[in-house]
Amino acid sequence: FFTQIKDFLRFSSSRGSATLTGALVFYILLGIIPISYVSSLILSIMGTELTVVINTLSTPFFSDVTDYIISTAHKLGAGGNVLVFFVALYSSANIFYHLRLSGVMLYNYPLKYSFILRIISIVATFIVICTFSIGATLYISLVPKINYFVGQKLSTVINFAVVLLAVLVLAVLVNFY
C-alpha cells in the first residue's frame, strides 16, 4: 500500500503536476465569465434567465460572487453580436483544451493535431453548456412544484442535491473527454 502511495507521489511530482494544476485553475477562473455569457444567451433562447438559475441553485453565502458573474456576463452581452458569442465560446473552450493538454503532458501522449483538439474542445464546451441550459430550464420549471409539495426548507436541500448531482455528472463526462 505504501509503495503505491510512494509511486503516485513520485509520478505526480516528476511531471510538473503543480504547474499543470495552477494552469488549469487559471483557465477555469478565466473561463467563468465567458461560460456564463454563453449560458445566458442559450438560456434566454429557451426562455429562462441566468439570474433565475443562479439564484435558485446558489446560496446567499455566494451572492456577491454570483451577482458579479451575472453583471459581468450582461456587460459582455451588451454588444450582443455573433462575434462576441464565438469569442466567448472560444475562451470558454480553453478549460477543456488545457484539461486535455494536461493529460497529454502528464502521460507523454504524442499530440499530433493541436488544431483538431481545439475544435473538439469548442464542440465539447458547447455541448456541456447546452446540456446545462436544458437541464437548468427543466429544473427551474419544476421548482414551484417542488416548493408546493415539500416546502421551502426541504426544497433548499433538494437544490443542493441537484447541484451535487450535476457536478458529479459533469465530472464523469469530463473523464470521458
Side-chain angles (χ1 to χ4, degrees), residues 123-173:
V123 170
T125 302
F126 187 70
I127 289 171
V128 166
I129 290 173
C130 285
T131 304
F132 162 76
S133 300
I134 292 169
T137 301
L138 290 174
Y139 183 71
I140 294 300
S141 68
L142 292 175
V143 166
K145 293 176 181 111
I146 293 171
N147 285 340
Y148 177 75
F149 286 114
V150 299
Q152 184 65 33
K153 291 188 180 194
L154 191 57
S155 177
T156 303
V157 173
I158 292 172
N159 284 343
F160 282 128
V162 166
V163 170
L164 287 175
L165 181 65
V167 169
L168 177 67
V169 168
L170 179 64
V172 169
L173 290 176

Side-chain angles (χ1 to χ4, degrees), residues 41-61:
L41 282 177
I42 293 173
L43 283 168
S44 66
I45 290 171
M46 295 180 184
T48 307
E49 287 294 320
L50 180 65
T51 310
V52 174
V53 173
I54 289 180
N55 289 337
T56 302
L57 299 178
S58 69
T59 63
F61 179 73

